[in-house]
Amino acid sequence: MKIRGAGRIARAVAQGLRIAAYNYRGDNAEDFRQYINGIAEYLRSTRPTAVSLPNAIIFILHRLSMALSDNVDELKEVVIKSANEFIEYSKKATDNIGVIGAKRIEDGDNILTHCNSSAALSVIIHAFKEGKKIKVYNTETRPKFQGYITARKLLKAGIKTTLITDSAVRAFMKKIDKIIVGADTVAANGAVVNKIGTSQIALAAKEANVDFYVAAETYKFSPATVLGEYITIEERSPKEVIRNIEVPSNIIIRNPAFDVTPPEYIDAIITELGIIPPQASILVLKEHYGWAIRDYLLKELSIDE
Amino acid sequence: MNKLNYLKEIEDISDKIKKGKIFSSTEVVINSIKAVEKLLINSSSIEFLKEIYPIAIKKLINSRRTSALLLNSLRQITETLVYSIKEVKDLEEVKMIISDKVREIEKNIKETNKIVAHIASNRILDGDTLLVYSYSTVLKETIFYALSEGKNIKIYIPESRPGGEGIVFAKELSKIADVTLFVDSAIRYLIKDVDKVFTSSEAIAANGALINKVGTSLLALISHEARVRFFSLAATTKFYPETFLGELVELNRVSLKIEDEGRDLVGKIDAYSPLFDVTPPEYIDAIITEKGLIAPQAVVMIIQEIYGWPPKIPSLEFEFKKLKEVI
């Protein structure tokens, strides 16, 4: 958990593959392909929930499998180039989301955000830079207090922020005009997997008729869910919940890291390609990962080409 | 002793209440009435009370505007004080009458809580997983009764920020029950495992709205969405008759303690939380009182039973005026 945020994880993985390719010493193309696949498998196992990670891998491996050369240096170049391409794209995507999402923010808006999301912050900071007077409320985000990171970034950007407890979200809802959160994963039906607590904020927003937006780069959309894959929610260490407080050992501590927000509570997903209703996620998936979905199908269902 | 010293103890308790340091709403009241009793016992003359008594009472009430039980109990003591000064005149005797009254109120609170807990425990079935919120002595009793009736139950508790009452409650309940603790954000994720939700109450407004620890209204909304039954335990002394006359209940607000990871943010950002929030009656399946289980919409009926129709609510200011007259 040293690298936080789906975007940063994806870029780190791309970088990992780039370094692996660069450091490869050998001259057999088949060995190189196996070596890269092995590294990819290892990297894939490090974080089960973040879909940006396998998507970064798919992006690079797909290009490698399409390269017909049996020259190791050429194949190395393919991996390094596609890793760079991915890193560039993902950096630009977050910025584009800011440009697009800022249009949704009005002068004088009170905005609520949860956890720490680069994409959501990009929207808020863009709107602020356009001269819109905005005020931000952000949740502490227990158990790990990522709200502090968000508050720090907003403070640096010169935006006034108020830190509130996760439990006070409904009590504060009357003051809020819009909610923007990030996403860990967007599923094929438009459901959004994000930091624990997101789904109850969305529920409280729906009740109060407050707009609820998710800011998510397209590499957070999960091709595997098209094939019905169930997203497993990680449960993390009890230590995060109780910190340094002594509690009797017979108390069971649950610490789910994410929850699922149903699409009907989401007004729109802001992507670098534009703003879409969550139900249209399948469009993004088909357009962006049509080939990946096909790859998955072939692999998962062991269908011979 | 000068006036300031007399008020010192009242001020200390008010401060603790204001900051949410005393978790249980019943404990808030018992601590307060005992402090008032002590103030009276230490008084050297009846004249002395003329000024200092109303100051002390107002301080306590203002420390927790939401607590109907506190207001109701202090009103009872004030009425008794006015009556006893008028009738007996001897300070020592007045002191005795007040001490008896304080004992009586305390006993009543505990007895009614027992009845509420018994009725609530009837709602619990063998094999139930219950989600309980914040810290509550009457909820603890409810769970104790259910367990002693041989019901096999599991308890789910969110930590309840900013006070962390849930952690303290989890520790206490773990001595008698099977307890699961989690952060407030995980309520919607875990509600699927829960059969019933029980909360205590700070006060119940005339329309049946529940005032309770912050987070309760979010919990009620989540339960409603998941069709999980939501019960609130409230002796009728927690009914807030003033709200019938349209008075808005003021909610205490506390500043948030920023943990070590955010030390650099202290003083640079606003960080606060209300101590309570308001749950609308439509999310409450039933309020469990010592008179039985009622729909929140029937609260007004009980208010009518206690205070008449239209309800005659004796104002404390009026009692203070009377106090000055008799002294």
Side-chain angles (χ1 to χ4, degrees), chain B residues 255-271:
Chain B
S255 48
L256 284 187
K257 177 180 173 268
I258 295 182
E259 306 288 328
D260 283 352
E261 298 97 307
R263 213 182 297 134
D264 55 307
L265 297 167
V266 177
K268 291 185 191 154
I269 56 165
D270 286 341

Side-chain angles (χ1 to χ4, degrees), chain A residues 140 152 163 207 252 265, chain B residues 159 161 181 225 264 270 283:
Chain A
E140 293 183 310
R152 205 170 282 134
L163 193 70
E207 183 203 23
I252 302 164
Y265 294 164
Chain B
E159 63 173 344
R161 293 273 296 168
L181 177 73
E225 184 205 23
D264 55 307
D270 286 341
Y283 297 155

Side-chain angles (χ1 to χ4, degrees), chain A residues 258-278:
Chain A
F258 303 97
D259 65 17
V260 183
T261 303
E264 62 267 30
Y265 294 164
I266 301 165
D267 286 282
I269 301 178
I270 306 166
T271 77
E272 75 278 16
L273 305 175
I275 294 178
I276 59 161

Side-chain angles (χ1 to χ4, degrees), chain A residues 140 142 148 152 160 162-163 165-167 170 197 199-200 207 243 246 248 250 252-254 260 265, chain B residues 159 161 171 174 179-181 184-185 188 215 217 221-222 225 256 259 261 264 270-272 278 283:
Chain A
E140 293 183 310
R142 281 281 285 144
Y148 295 161
R152 205 170 282 134
K160 191 172 162 33
T162 301
L163 193 70
T165 56
D166 304 291
S167 59
R170 189 178 177 276
S199 79
Q200 53 194 52
E207 183 203 23
R243 292 160 69 85
E246 290 275 335
N250 63 337
I252 302 164
I253 291 156
R254 298 283 305 267
V260 183
Y265 294 164
Chain B
E159 63 173 344
R161 293 273 296 168
K171 280 188 192 172
S174 72
V179 173
T180 302
L181 177 73
D184 304 323
S185 276
R188 189 173 178 276
S217 76
L221 173 66
I222 294 166
E225 184 205 23
L256 284 187
E259 306 288 328
E261 298 97 307
D264 55 307
D270 286 341
Y272 64 88
V278 183
Y283 297 155

Side-chain angles (χ1 to χ4, degrees), chain A residues 25-46:
Chain A
R25 301 276 170 267
D27 50 15
N28 184 312
E30 214 30 61
D31 285 353
F32 176 73
R33 286 177 194 274
Q34 267 183 21
Y35 161 79
I36 290 291
N37 275 305
I39 302 264
E41 267 325 299
Y42 172 71
L43 290 169
R44 203 193 285 268
S45 66
T46 54

Side-chain angles (χ1 to χ4, degrees), chain A residues 92-159:
Chain A
K92 263 196 210 134
T94 313
D95 200 50
N96 282 346
I97 284 176
V99 174
I100 295 170
K103 294 179 189 160
R104 285 277 155 141
I105 311 288
E106 289 167 285
D107 195 35
D109 270 352
N110 283 342
I111 299 166
L112 173 72
T113 186
H114 182 56
C115 196
N116 172 46
S117 152
S118 307
L121 278 174
S122 176
V123 173
I124 295 169
I125 292 171
H126 268 281
F128 180 74
K129 281 186 180 158
E130 285 170 11
K132 290 173 186 164
K133 281 190 202 73
I134 49 177
K135 201 173 170 254
V136 178
Y137 289 84
N138 80 291
T139 57
E140 293 183 310
T141 319
R142 281 281 285 144
K144 296 198 78 175
F145 296 104
Q146 285 96 333
Y148 295 161
I149 304 171
T150 299
R152 205 170 282 134
K153 287 181 181 165
L154 288 167
L155 198 63
K156 213 177 138 199
I159 302 169

